[in-house]
Amino acid sequence: QVQLVESGGGLVQAGGSLRLSCATSGRSFSGYAMGWFRQPPGKERDFVAAITWNGGMTNHANSVKGRFTISRDNAKNTVYLQMSSLKPEDTAVYYCARYSGMYYNSDPDYWGQGTQVTVSS
């Protein structure tokens, strides 16, 4: 069994920062790529960032590049999303996901429940 639990969301003013955490349980956390996705109100879920099994490579959506940074600590079974220079359009439910392989050219197969991020103007 695999469980993903997000935390760190909340209400923040534009220009502020938040750090999201995703605590995982289950076997072989270090062997899988991890990612963050988000779903704004009334829109479909879309990609935010991903990181390979050992943190050696990352990918960030153009909309967040330079502002958000994904990282992981395999010793703590945790993946992070550092969010800076937040904009109102970043408002969404943010989901943590585990990919089905070591690299993020695979598909996510486990999802967290999500954490709400609201950015006020």
Side-chain angles (χ1 to χ4, degrees):
Q1 294 183 347
V2 176
Q3 293 183 335
L4 312 176
V5 181
E6 301 95 337
S7 63
L11 176 64
V12 64
Q13 293 184 347
S17 299
L18 286 173
R19 188 179 76 161
L20 305 183
S21 298
C22 175
T24 70
S25 62
R27 302 176 71 86
S28 300
F29 168 78
S30 64
Y32 297 90
M34 300 291 295
W36 288 95
F37 295 74
R38 67 185 182 184
Q39 186 169 16
K43 297 184 178 181
E44 296 182 358
R45 183 182 297 180
D46 55 21
F47 171 79
V48 175
I51 187 167
T52 57
W53 68 280
N54 63 350
M57 295 185 67
T58 62
N59 188 31
H60 297 79
N62 288 336
S63 59
V64 306
K65 195 169 297 182
R67 300 188 299 118
F68 293 7
T69 302
I70 189 171
S71 62
R72 68 190 296 162
D73 186 341
N74 285 354
K76 297 181 178 180
N77 294 336
T78 302
V79 62
Y80 305 96
L81 185 68
Q82 178 65 51
M83 309 165 67
S84 300
S85 301
L86 284 161
K87 305 174 181 179
E89 51 263 45
D90 295 320
T91 295
V93 177
Y94 283 72
Y95 296 91
C96 177
R98 194 198 80 170
Y99 286 79
S100 58
M102 295 185 294
Y103 309 107
Y104 41 74
N105 59 349
S106 59
D107 293 323
D109 57 0
Y110 290 94
W111 298 85
Q113 292 298 114
T115 185
Q116 177 70 48
V117 173
T118 302
V119 184
S120 62
S121 60

